[in-house]
C-alpha cells in the first residue's frame, strides 16, 4: 500500500478487523506509527533514556509537524464555517489536506479525479496530539465504545461528549406510538455523531443512527415506519465495497415491511470523482465482495472498487455534507411566494381582503 494512501476504514457493520481507522499504524507490526522499520526496542529505550523520556524529532520532522499545525488552525476555521459547525477528527484531517492543496478545491467540479491525500495520516495525528485536541474549536471528542449509542449533544456550543442512548433507553413511553416517515442510517458512527451534534435530526425531522447500532432494527422502529405508510430509510455510506453493501443489509433487516423504501444517499465512486475527494487504497475485495456490489454501478466504478480504492464520507466538507443531507432528507421545499401571488391569494380568502367589484 502506498504511504500516501489512507488505511482502509474500519467502521460499519461489514468492516474488516484490520487496522483501526485514524491510527496510521500498519496492522500486526507492533511498532508505533512514528518508529521506522528495523529500529529495535533496546535502541528506542536507550534513546529515550538519553533524552529524559522525551520524543526527539529530526529537523525535517519538526518542520513538517509545524507546517501541519498551522494548516490545522486554518482547516479548523474552514470546517466550522459557517455558524460554528462541529466536526470529527477525520473531517479535520481531510480539511487540512485541502488547506495544503488548494488546487484540489479549485478543480472540484471542473476536472474530476480522486487524488491521494497530500498529508500522511501519522503526521497529522502527531501534529494534533502535539497541540492538543482540546485546543481545536469545534472538534468533537472521540465517541464512546461501539456498545454505547450516541444521542445529540445538548447544544452546538457544548464541548462535552455526546450522551449515549438508543431506542430501548428512551424516557418517553409513547415515542414510538406515532408514524416515522423517514430515518437516516450512517455507516460511520462518528459521522452520525457529527450530524446529531449539528442538530440535523431536528432540522430534517429525521432520527439519525449508526447502522451498526440499530441493525437489526428495533421492532418498535419497524412498527413506526409501517405506520407512516410510505416511509423512507436513507443510508449514508462510504464509496467502498463494504459501504455499498449496507443498503442491501438494511433492506434485508427491514424484512417484510410493506411500503418502506431504502434510499442510498451515497457515496458512490462517481460522487468521489466529481468532488475530487482524497481516496485511500486497501486490500482488493474478493469475488464475494465484488458480487455484492450494486448492479447499477458503471463498469468504470466497479473497476475502481476492484482495485481496493475507497473514499470516505468524512472527506466531504462538513458544510456541504450537512446541506446535502438536509436537502435529500427533507425533500424539495415549497416554492417561495412572490408579491403578486400573495395578492392573488388575498382575493380568494374572503372577508375584508379584496374588492370583488
Amino acid at each position: 500500500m502506498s504511504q500516501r494512501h489512507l488505511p482502509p476504514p474500519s467502521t460499519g457493520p461489514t468492516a474488516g478487523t484490520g487496522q483501526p481507522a485514524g491510527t496510521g499504524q500498519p496492522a500486526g507490526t507492533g511498532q508505533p506509527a512514528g518508529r521506522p522499520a528495523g529500529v529495535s526496542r533496546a535502541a528506542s529505550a536507550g534513546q529515550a533514556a538519553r533524552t529524559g523520556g522525551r520524543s526527539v524529532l529530526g529537523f525535517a520532522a519538526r518542520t513538517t509537524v509545524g507546517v501541519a499545525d498551522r494548516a490545522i488552525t486554518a482547516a479548523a476555521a474552514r470546517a466550522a464555517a459557517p455558524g460554528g459547525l462541529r466536526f470529527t477528527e477525520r473531517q479535520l484531517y481531510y480539511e487540512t489536506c485541502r488547506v495544503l492543496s488548494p488546487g484540489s478545491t479549485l478543480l472540484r467540479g471542473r476536472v474530476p479525479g480522486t487524488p491521494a491525500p497530500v498529508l500522511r495520516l501519522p503526521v497529522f495525528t502527531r501534529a494534533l496530539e502535539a497541540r492538543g485536541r482540546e485546543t481545536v474549536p469545534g472538534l468533537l471528542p472521540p465517541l464512546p465504545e461501539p456498545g454505547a449509542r450516541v444521542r445529540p449533544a445538548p447544544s452546538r456550543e457544548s464541548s462535552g461528549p455526546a450522551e449515549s442512548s438508543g431506542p430501548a433507553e428512551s424516557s418517553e413511553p409513547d415515542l414510538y406510538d406515532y408514524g416515522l416517515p423517514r430515518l437516516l442510517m450512517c455507516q460511520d458512527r462518528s459521522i452520525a455523531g457529527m450530524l446529531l451534534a449539528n442538530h440535523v435530526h431536528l432540522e430534517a425531522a429525521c432520527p439519525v443512527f449508526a447502522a451498526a447500532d440499530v441493525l437489526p432494527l428495533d421492532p418498535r422502529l419497524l412498527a413506526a415506519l409501517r405506520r407512516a405508510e410510505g416511509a423512507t430509510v436513507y443510508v449514508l455510506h462510504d464509496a467502498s465495497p463494504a459501504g455499498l453493501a449496507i443498503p442491501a443489509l438494511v433492506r434485508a433487516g427491514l424484512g417484510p415491511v410493506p411500503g418502506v423504501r431504502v434510499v442510498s444517499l451515497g457515496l458512490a465512486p462517481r460522487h468521489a470523482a466529481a468532488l475530487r475527494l482524497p481516496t485511500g487504497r486497501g486490500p482488493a475485495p474478493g469475488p464475494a465482495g465484488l458480487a455484492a456490489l450494486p448492479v447499477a454501478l458503471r463498469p468504470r466504478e466497479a473497476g475502481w472498487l476492484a482495485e481496493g480504492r475507497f473514499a470516505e464520507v468524512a472527506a466531504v466538507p462538513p458544510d456541504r455534507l450537512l446541506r446535502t443531507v438536509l436537502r435529500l432528507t427533507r425533500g424539495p421545499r415549497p416554492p417561495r411566494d412572490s408579491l403578486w401571488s400573495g395578492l392573488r391569494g388575498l382575493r380568494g380568502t374572503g372577508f375584508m381582503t379584496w374588492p370583488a367589484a
Side-chain angles (χ1 to χ4, degrees):
M1 182 174 66
S2 173
Q3 290 183 343
R4 295 186 61 196
H5 280 291
L6 295 170
S10 61
T11 58
T14 59
T17 58
Q19 174 186 358
T23 61
Q25 176 182 349
T29 61
Q31 294 278 0
R35 183 185 301 172
V39 177
S40 65
R41 296 180 181 269
S44 299
Q47 181 181 6
R50 291 191 300 271
T51 59
R54 292 180 289 103
S55 175
V56 176
L57 297 177
F59 174 77
R62 291 198 306 271
T63 303
T64 303
V65 170
V67 171
D69 179 75
R70 289 189 290 271
I72 287 173
T73 302
R78 289 174 47 169
L85 301 179
R86 309 295 300 278
F87 49 88
T88 67
E89 181 178 330
R90 199 73 161 185
Q91 289 177 310
L92 179 62
Y93 165 69
Y94 285 114
E95 197 64 47
T96 304
C97 292
R98 280 187 283 270
V99 169
L100 295 174
S101 179
S104 61
T105 303
L106 297 175
L107 295 176
R108 188 185 304 152
R110 298 177 177 87
V111 180
T114 52
V118 298
L119 180 66
R120 293 185 59 195
L121 188 60
V123 176
F124 167 81
T125 304
R126 284 198 296 265
L128 186 60
E129 291 176 348
R131 65 174 291 160
R133 289 173 170 82
E134 66 279 358
T135 63
V136 180
L139 180 61
L140 289 168
L143 288 177
E145 293 300 322
R149 296 170 182 171
V150 295
R151 192 169 61 182
S155 65
R156 186 170 293 179
E157 292 78 13
S158 173
S159 58
E163 300 178 7
S164 62
S165 178
E169 293 90 5
S170 174
S171 60
E172 299 293 337
D174 61 341
L175 181 61
Y176 300 98
D177 292 341
Y178 304 94
L180 187 62
R182 47 190 171 269
L183 178 70
L184 174 61
M185 290 191 188
C186 302
Q187 177 188 7
D188 191 343
R189 296 182 69 248
S190 62
I191 291 296
M194 178 262 184
L195 296 177
L196 290 171
N198 289 288
H199 309 301
V200 168
H201 61 297
L202 298 178
E203 296 186 40
C206 176
V208 179
F209 296 107
D213 293 342
V214 295
L215 287 178
L217 284 178
D218 188 279
R220 292 172 297 174
L221 278 177
L222 289 173
L225 291 171
R226 187 182 297 110
R227 271 188 221 102
E229 296 182 357
T232 304
V233 177
Y234 298 96
V235 184
L236 184 63
H237 55 81
D238 297 337
S240 64
L244 291 167
I246 290 182
L249 292 177
V250 174
R251 291 188 186 96
L254 288 175
V257 180
V260 178
R261 297 186 307 148
V262 177
V263 176
S264 171
L265 301 183
L267 291 171
R270 56 180 175 270
H271 301 148
L275 297 174
R276 293 192 63 84
L277 299 181
T279 60
R281 189 187 297 271
L290 294 177
L293 293 177
V295 295
L297 285 178
R298 301 167 183 170
R300 188 173 181 179
E301 293 178 293
W304 186 83
L305 294 169
E307 296 174 358
R309 306 282 294 274
F310 65 89
E312 297 178 293
V313 172
V316 181
D319 61 332
R320 181 163 192 155
L321 176 63
L322 293 177
R323 290 198 310 268
T324 303
V325 170
L326 285 173
R327 176 175 55 86
L328 295 177
T329 54
R330 286 189 304 192
R333 294 185 178 182
R336 182 178 299 176
D337 292 335
S338 63
L339 176 61
W340 179 247
S341 63
L343 292 176
R344 286 192 302 175
L346 289 176
R347 294 187 61 180
T349 55
F351 180 67
M352 292 185 65
T353 54
W354 195 270

